[in-house]
Amino acid sequence: MNNNPAVPMMTLNNGVAIPQVGLGVYEAAEGAEVEAAVHAAFEAGYRLIDTAAIYGNEAGVGKAVKDSGLPREEIFITTKLWNANHAYDDALRAFDESMSRLDCGYIDLYLIHWPLPMDGKFPEAWRAMEKLYNDKRVRAIGVSNFKNHHLDELLKSTATVPAVNQIELHPMLQDKETRVYCAERGIAIESYSPLMRAGEALEHPVIAEISRQHGKTPAQAILRWHVQSDLIVIPKSVKPERIRENLDLFDFELSETEMQAIEGMDEGRRIGADPDTASFK
Ligand SMILES: NC(=O)c1ccc[n+]([C@@H]2O[C@H](COP(=O)([O-])OP(=O)(O)OC[C@H]3O[C@@H](n4cnc5c(N)ncnc54)[C@H](OP(=O)(O)O)[C@@H]3O)[C@@H](O)[C@H]2O)c1
């Protein structure tokens, strides 16, 4: 069923192992579309699925997990707490709602989706995450879209260092500042929108040349750069051939010069919302 060499595992700061490459399901429609994407991913050898309450497709992810027949412990499920639910009781209730949709026993990684709204509630949400962790309902807890000043604020209020910070990261937005901060504190970085949402990075001449040299696609060249940069990476696709393509990364290696050429593409260019200015609730 899976012809790919094993996906490397990374170890989070609490000892939990996470596959380095996973499937993102943002904008995969609830029901048949997301279920087919998750099945194609399992078939290709993925074991990490990244969803969120706000994606509206947790039930489909959960159904595909059950229907796959794979042992639950072989699968790594991430979901996220939405911004409206940062108050302590709201966070616990939102978690229960995610769990009833996913119906998968426990969550492997639960993330605070954004450090928003900016009314200072995320440390309260974090206390709820700590309870879920202590109650063994989640195997690891982390954050998403946290800049260094958000992490400073969080770490003032807790001794529990997030296991992960999931942030927008691709060749045109390399965010060295957050990566250095997190590396110093043992927080793993997970790259979201790793292909820049099929944006300009895929067409860039540096990527075109590297992919040509290796007989790989532009997406594979970019995803290989994430892997060799020690990032966890969760490309999204609902197309089976692209899902396979995005995991077929382990039969080639970028040279130091190629890694540096991609590093030279950084323009600090964000395609998603900036956590400091995002206005959604
Ligand atoms: N924490 C957060 O706030 C946050 C924010 C955004 C995303 N995320 C997570 O990160 C995941 C990935 O990010 P993303 O969905 O924003 O963007 P992405 O993975 O960079 O790009 C997805 C887009 O690229 C296309 N694509 C996928 N593989 C391709 C390939 N090999 N060649 C050409 N095009 C390809 C997809 O289309 P098709 O589906 O049609 O193939 C889709 O339009 C999300 O699904 C979600 O799980 C998290």
Side-chain angles (χ1 to χ4, degrees), residues 23-27 50-51 55 80 111 113-114 144-145 166-167 191-198 202 217 219-220 234-239 242-243 245-246 271:
L23 179 76
V25 295
Y26 176 53
E27 288 185 331
D50 184 90
T51 185
Y55 301 170
K80 312 186 191 89
L111 303 177
H113 205 146
W114 290 87
S144 177
N145 295 298
Q166 183 183 113
I167 55 174
S191 306
Y192 81 64
S193 302
L195 299 172
M196 206 180 173
R197 288 201 185 142
L202 277 181
T217 66
Q220 289 170 327
I234 46 170
K236 175 263 177 182
S237 179
V238 292
K239 301 195 166 63
R242 284 184 177 168
I243 289 172
E245 172 187 334
N246 293 345
I271 50 159

Side-chain angles (χ1 to χ4, degrees), residues 4-273:
N4 283 313
V7 177
M9 301 296 285
M10 312 262 291
T11 305
L12 301 177
N13 62 14
N14 66 346
V16 164
I18 180 170
Q20 195 179 3
V21 184
L23 179 76
V25 295
Y26 176 53
E27 288 185 331
E30 175 62 300
E33 183 172 73
V34 76
E35 287 169 38
V38 172
H39 283 304
F42 287 153
E43 186 116 345
Y46 292 73
R47 291 295 179 266
L48 161 59
I49 308 294
D50 184 90
T51 185
I54 199 72
Y55 301 170
N57 57 18
E58 289 174 309
V61 169
K63 180 166 187 321
V65 166
K66 269 179 278 169
D67 291 350
S68 74
L70 289 167
R72 172 65 186 90
E73 62 277 13
E74 280 186 20
I75 299 171
F76 193 104
I77 300 173
T78 302
T79 194
K80 312 186 191 89
L81 174 71
W82 188 241
N83 309 341
N85 297 318
H86 282 193
Y88 186 82
D89 289 340
D90 290 346
L92 295 179
R93 182 186 37 77
F95 177 81
D96 284 341
E97 288 168 3
S98 281
M99 278 307 304
S100 73
R101 287 186 292 266
L102 280 158
D103 192 22
C104 59
Y106 57 89
I107 298 297
D108 293 280
L109 177 63
Y110 197 40
L111 303 177
I112 297 182
H113 205 146
W114 290 87
L116 297 167
M118 298 306 286
D119 59 0
K121 284 255 173 62
F122 63 75
E124 191 173 325
W126 191 248
R127 281 202 295 118
M129 311 284 274
E130 289 176 308
K131 173 170 172 51
L132 294 167
Y133 180 68
N134 290 334
D135 290 349
K136 301 202 176 345
R137 303 189 69 199
V138 299
R139 295 174 68 229
I141 53 177
V143 296
S144 177
N145 295 298
F146 273 48
K147 292 194 177 183
N148 296 354
H149 70 90
H150 299 117
L151 287 163
D152 279 340
E153 190 183 335
L154 181 66
L155 293 173
K156 264 194 269 163
S157 73
T158 179
T160 314
V161 178
V164 165
N165 187 12
Q166 183 183 113
I167 55 174
E168 181 182 338
L169 206 156
H170 44 72
M172 297 186 133
L173 178 70
Q174 300 191 19
D175 202 346
K176 298 241 169 69
E177 209 184 324
T178 308
R179 285 159 68 190
V180 167
Y181 180 107
C182 287
E184 285 171 359
R185 289 161 182 80
I187 304 169
I189 296 281
E190 202 171 21
S191 306
Y192 81 64
S193 302
L195 299 172
M196 206 180 173
R197 288 201 185 142
E200 251 168 273
L202 277 181
E203 321 256 290
H204 195 284
V206 165
I207 297 299
E209 177 56 17
I210 292 173
S211 52
R212 201 184 54 77
Q213 286 289 338
H214 291 277
K216 298 297 248 183
T217 66
Q220 289 170 327
I222 292 176
L223 294 170
R224 182 71 206 184
W225 170 80
H226 287 272
V227 166
Q228 283 183 226
S229 301
D230 295 327
L231 298 160
I232 303 163
V233 61
I234 46 170
K236 175 263 177 182
S237 179
V238 292
K239 301 195 166 63
E241 67 283 6
R242 284 184 177 168
I243 289 172
R244 284 191 292 276
E245 172 187 334
N246 293 345
L247 195 66
D248 183 13
L249 309 173
F250 301 102
D251 61 351
F252 74 115
E253 194 167 347
L254 304 183
S255 68
E256 196 50 47
T257 313
E258 290 169 327
M259 290 293 289
Q260 281 165 9
I262 298 180
E263 268 146 44
M265 288 170 59
D266 191 10
E267 294 180 8
R269 181 122 58 98
R270 213 175 261 288
I271 50 159

